[in-house]
Amino acid sequence: MMTSVLFQRARVIDPRNEVDGIRDVLVTDGRVAQVSEAPLTAPKDARVVDATGKWVVPGFIDLHVHLREPGEEGKETVLTGCRAAVAGGFTGVVAMPNTKVVNDSALVTELVLSRARDADLCHVYPAGAITKGLKGEELSEAGELIGAGCVALTDDGRPVMNAALMRRVLQYATLFDVPVMVHEEDLTLSAGGAMHEGATSTRLGLRGIPASAEVAMVARDLILLEETKGRLHVAHVSCEGSVRLIREAKKRGLRVTCEVAPHHFTLDDRAVGDYDTHAKMAPPLRGDADVKALREALVDGTVDAIATDHAPHGVSDKLVEFEKGINGIVGLETALGLTLALVHEGVLTPRRAVELLSEGPARVFGLPGGHLAPGSPADITVVSPGEEWTVDAHRFYSRSRNTPFHGRTFKGRVTQTWVGGRCVFEDGQLKESR
């Protein structure tokens, strides 16, 4: 079995180690052995990868992925989700707990990890539920979940409406130093809403969800965070007001981090068009001013990570009236294209884009990887930044096809994904060990 790989003459972008330039990268026994400005000599029997014109970057990490197993394997499984992940350049994903058998126990955590070992493609890091059954009533056994391998606590798509309970979980999580990841939505403000409250919702005759439904909950939880000294991670931020509050909280030294999904920094509520359920998600696509604010926050460091909120759904979940459509889209295989669109537009530098997809997520959740220093895991993504391709949802490795980006042309594509020094995806094809 090959133990060495030499990437030659790549543009290596490694934000944590302040590297951005032409380098050779030598991988030995699953770890980065050397990063050199001078050309390196390949060891005997090493695989040599001519990476001229390519980027070699730390493997991407997605903090927000729905793998649907156990319970909804028709939409996605751990295996198919991992296939989609490596096709998108992701070497690690955090699996949300809102499966049909909720991950609120060590038993479910262990099942997810077992399925990930069987898939043998990318790292899967389970997140455990804050409350039993995601009901928002009684705290789950956080110690048991973390001991079994959970890296964060979250009720994901459900807000913790009970402020006292939210305060307790922030306090409790400090014992384990793990982040509490929150979906911020005041259900009394969003109740009955189907999309962002604005001109488009008025035109379509759909009940709107005001930005205050998110912003008010962000404000509440930042107050609780300041009091408890815990760690708060705000999922899929969508509003200018949320960004402003998080930016101010960071300046005050609070331990708050946040993520933004590619669809929220790319599309606004006009993408709903004439009731297109592929543009229906939670939080909803917001207004143009919110999109601009999210982009500014990606640039200035307020946002720590780009996370896809990969949410697979079947055809029947979307081919219904808009109000009845299930929220969410798949995102693992389009994330890089949408992120690089900001690079080509001059919004993000290549270094900042790579940081948001790799080093930032690793730092936020304390995960391995996210950089290419000697001794680090050889989790590597190779990108062809100028290659154009068109999204064909029917060719996704994900089991689901729900995307508003079908037919869209992107510039920049993953050509290889390496996990632990093993090539698991190359030139559009999986390299499975199974």
Side-chain angles (χ1 to χ4, degrees):
M1 185 173 180
M2 190 178 298
T3 58
S4 297
V5 184
L6 178 62
F7 299 90
Q8 293 182 324
R9 302 294 85 191
R11 178 181 177 181
V12 176
I13 305 175
D14 180 4
R16 182 182 298 185
N17 296 298
E18 299 185 347
V19 174
D20 185 356
I22 304 302
R23 303 285 192 277
D24 279 11
V25 179
L26 177 63
V27 168
T28 303
D29 295 329
R31 293 193 171 272
V32 176
Q34 192 174 355
V35 179
S36 171
E37 287 191 62
L40 296 174
T41 300
K44 184 179 179 181
D45 299 327
R47 175 177 174 181
V48 176
V49 176
D50 181 0
T52 304
K54 305 288 199 306
W55 296 355
V56 166
V57 302
F60 304 151
I61 299 171
D62 193 338
L63 297 179
H64 198 151
V65 171
H66 300 267
L67 296 178
R68 302 300 186 209
E69 188 176 7
E72 291 185 296
E73 289 83 357
K75 297 182 178 183
E76 196 79 285
T77 65
V78 174
L79 173 60
T80 61
C82 288
R83 287 171 173 167
V86 298
F90 290 92
T91 58
V93 298
V94 177
M96 295 296 101
N98 66 331
T99 41
K100 285 304 182 183
V101 181
V102 173
N103 187 7
D104 57 6
S105 71
L107 187 64
V108 180
T109 301
E110 290 162 0
L111 173 65
V112 173
L113 289 171
S114 175
R115 293 288 191 270
R117 287 191 294 270
D118 291 343
D120 194 24
L121 282 170
C122 68
H123 307 291
V124 176
Y125 305 103
I130 292 174
T131 63
K132 293 182 179 180
L134 303 179
K135 295 179 180 179
E137 298 170 356
E138 183 180 358
L139 290 181
S140 298
E141 296 294 338
E144 174 187 312
L145 288 165
I146 294 162
C150 288
V151 298
L153 299 174
T154 180
D155 273 2
D156 185 51
R158 302 188 184 187
V160 180
M161 288 294 294
N162 185 314
L165 191 149
M166 184 65 197
R167 184 175 183 272
R168 284 201 300 276
V169 74
L170 283 168
Q171 290 174 321
Y172 194 31
T174 62
L175 300 175
F176 308 99
D177 196 29
V178 296
V180 177
M181 181 179 183
V182 285
H183 167 94
E184 300 289 41
E185 179 184 358
D186 186 326
L187 298 177
T188 66
L189 289 169
S190 65
M195 65 172 295
H196 175 64
E197 182 180 86
T200 302
S201 65
T202 300
R203 177 179 66 82
L204 296 175
L206 295 172
R207 185 167 178 176
I209 299 172
S212 57
E214 176 179 300
V215 180
M217 289 290 276
V218 171
R220 183 203 73 173
D221 287 346
L222 289 174
I223 291 169
L224 297 175
L225 178 67
E226 187 166 23
E227 189 171 73
T228 60
K229 311 302 181 187
R231 288 175 61 187
L232 183 73
H233 180 73
V234 184
H236 43 48
V237 173
S238 71
C239 300
E240 187 278 331
S242 301
V243 165
R244 184 176 64 251
L245 289 172
I246 293 167
R247 183 181 290 120
E248 292 170 353
K250 285 190 169 193
K251 289 178 180 178
R252 297 203 316 273
L254 300 189
R255 300 177 74 190
V256 58
T257 55
C258 69
E259 67 189 42
V260 169
H263 47 268
H264 283 127
F265 65 65
T266 302
L267 303 174
D268 61 32
D269 59 336
R270 291 172 293 183
V272 172
D274 292 321
Y275 309 98
D276 182 1
T277 54
H278 285 115
K280 186 173 189 288
M281 52 205 69
L285 298 174
R286 299 291 185 181
D288 179 63
D290 296 298
V291 174
K292 290 178 180 177
L294 295 179
R295 292 183 172 204
E296 290 171 2
L298 288 167
V299 173
D300 70 18
T302 301
V303 175
D304 300 271
I306 290 172
T308 66
D309 193 6
H310 177 81
H313 291 299
V315 174
S316 61
D317 296 320
K318 291 292 187 177
L319 285 179
V320 293
E321 298 94 328
F322 192 87
E323 296 95 325
K324 296 180 180 178
I326 296 181
N327 292 311
I329 64 171
V330 292
L332 286 166
E333 296 172 74
T334 55
L336 177 66
L338 293 167
T339 302
L340 289 185
L342 296 188
V343 174
H344 297 310
E345 291 172 25
V347 176
L348 293 178
T349 64
R351 175 173 171 168
R352 179 62 177 152
V354 171
E355 180 181 15
L356 287 161
L357 289 166
S358 60
E359 192 274 334
R363 171 178 47 79
V364 167
F365 277 20
L367 302 176
H371 67 104
L372 298 176
S376 64
D379 297 342
I380 293 171
T381 301
V382 182
V383 175
S384 179
E387 182 177 346
E388 292 192 351
W389 62 285
T390 301
V391 177
D392 182 352
H394 304 295
R395 301 184 67 184
F396 281 165
Y397 281 102
S398 171
R399 185 162 280 183
S400 294
R401 307 284 178 258
N402 50 309
T403 177
F405 301 113
H406 177 71
R408 180 164 178 159
T409 298
F410 291 131
K411 186 178 180 181
R413 190 170 200 169
V414 173
T415 59
Q416 293 179 343
T417 305
W418 296 73
V419 178
R422 177 170 66 94
C423 187
V424 294
F425 180 82
E426 184 172 16
D427 296 332
Q429 300 296 318
L430 291 169
K431 304 292 183 179
E432 297 183 82
S433 62
R434 293 153 44 85

